Amino acid sequence: MEPQAISNFAHCEALVREADPDRYWASLFAPADKRPYLHALYAFNFEIARVRESVREALVGEIRLQWWRDALQGEARGDVRSNPIAAALDDTIVQFRLPRQSLVDLIDARIFDLYDDPMPNLNDLEGYCGETASSLIQISSVILANGSNPGTADAAGHAGVAYAITGLLRAFPHHARQGQVYVPADILARHGVVREDIVTGRGGPGLKGALADLRAVARRHLEQVRTLRATIPDAAKPAFRPLALMEPYLKAMERRDYDPFHTVVDIPQWRRVGALWRGPF
């Protein structure tokens, strides 16, 4: 690997370790020669996920996402290779013959993040999770399988929905302050909650019920992954290892003192590493 490429992958590793510690610690269970490529993928995912946080206007966010879309489709100009994450991602795509369209679809799904539109229903939320977190798990599995089809599409689909919903529930306080509501409108309506209850911090008696319903959805998908674990080859299992953290996070939201608007849902690092060591299955 050339010095510049080594530097690019090192940049990605440092970013993932700081910004996405769950995936970083899980990646340490992957073979050492695959970790740089996983870090490139996860760094790209973080860059896309944080676009809303880095811009003041949605239109500027769309322009930034378009830059990444062009970079993946080979339409961006000389600044692509000068971006360490884009360069490392491109090397990863070429090395493992990854499907560029799946990454473009991930970008397109993230356009939703730029606006304050409600999530219409559970089916839409599951689709959003599928094109983001599920896609990331499936592409990670392809990397771990040396570019071949690992046969994990169904398991990755359920795993990504479980992982993403749990992450959205953990981020609920932040999203509420930003005016974003990822809890599907049909679930909110079932409990008599409206968007204004969330973005104004009023909550209401139905909110905890709505969030409990969403936790149940995450657990259903997690159980589906367990029923499909025989379809996950050993080589691909590190891509699924972050699921080991889902139950501890979900249980933390069921404590008596849980306040969806203020509680920071986290677990100590020693518990995180221990759960990852034991694995999700």
Side-chain angles (χ1 to χ4, degrees):
M1 191 180 292
E2 296 181 357
Q4 186 58 55
I6 293 173
S7 175
N8 293 337
F9 282 109
H11 174 86
C12 292
E13 179 181 1
L15 176 62
V16 174
R17 180 168 187 163
E18 174 66 26
D20 195 350
D22 287 355
R23 285 194 177 97
Y24 172 78
W25 288 108
S27 75
L28 299 185
F29 292 89
D33 64 329
K34 300 297 194 305
R35 292 175 201 161
Y37 303 105
L38 293 175
H39 295 153
L41 179 64
Y42 299 156
F44 158 74
N45 177 67
F46 173 72
E47 283 294 297
I48 300 304
R50 78 181 186 98
V51 165
R52 173 166 173 143
E53 305 297 319
S54 61
V55 299
R56 292 186 178 182
E57 298 179 6
L59 182 58
V60 178
E62 292 221 29
I63 293 171
R64 188 161 298 183
L65 291 179
Q66 184 62 47
W67 185 92
W68 280 101
R69 194 181 290 111
D70 290 345
L72 284 167
Q73 296 174 330
E75 298 170 12
R77 295 300 176 255
D79 57 343
V80 172
R81 294 300 300 187
S82 66
N83 181 304
I85 298 173
L89 179 66
D90 190 62
D91 289 344
T92 301
I93 291 170
V94 172
Q95 175 77 13
F96 298 99
R97 303 177 300 281
L98 300 179
R100 292 177 183 268
Q101 188 58 47
S102 294
L103 297 170
V104 172
D105 291 343
L106 185 153
I107 293 171
D108 290 343
R110 286 290 186 177
I111 292 175
F112 180 87
D113 300 349
L114 302 178
Y115 299 91
D116 296 336
D117 298 334
M119 186 66 72
N121 54 57
L122 178 58
N123 187 60
D124 288 312
L125 176 62
E126 290 174 326
Y128 168 89
C129 296
E131 291 187 338
T132 53
S134 297
S135 181
L136 210 64
I137 293 171
Q138 177 63 8
I139 295 172
S140 298
S141 298
V142 173
I143 291 173
L144 291 163
N146 283 315
S148 64
N149 181 1
T152 53
D154 287 348
H158 290 291
V161 175
Y163 189 88
I165 287 178
T166 303
L168 290 170
L169 287 167
R170 291 180 65 206
F172 181 88
H174 173 73
H175 289 151
R177 290 192 296 270
Q178 297 292 321
Q180 293 175 285
V181 180
Y182 287 88
V183 183
D186 55 348
I187 292 180
L188 292 177
R190 190 186 309 150
H191 293 272
V193 181
V194 296
R195 177 182 181 275
E196 287 67 28
D197 293 333
I198 295 174
V199 298
T200 60
R202 289 197 302 266
L207 179 59
K208 287 191 175 183
L211 296 180
D213 280 3
L214 207 49
R215 290 195 298 272
V217 172
R219 284 191 167 109
R220 284 201 300 272
H221 283 281
L222 198 55
E223 187 56 37
Q224 282 296 313
V225 183
R226 293 192 178 104
T227 66
L228 292 166
R229 62 180 177 269
T231 68
I232 305 172
D234 288 344
K237 284 181 179 177
F240 292 82
R241 197 166 282 266
L243 295 182
L245 301 174
M246 299 305 92
E247 193 58 42
Y249 287 142
L250 293 170
K251 284 183 177 178
M253 298 177 209
E254 293 167 343
R255 295 176 50 176
R256 282 188 177 182
D257 59 351
Y258 171 63
D259 178 350
F261 288 105
H262 300 102
T263 300
V264 176
V265 178
D266 206 355
I267 56 177
Q269 183 166 311
W270 65 269
R271 282 191 62 200
R272 178 186 290 127
V273 173
L276 289 170
W277 180 267
R278 290 187 295 274
F281 311 124

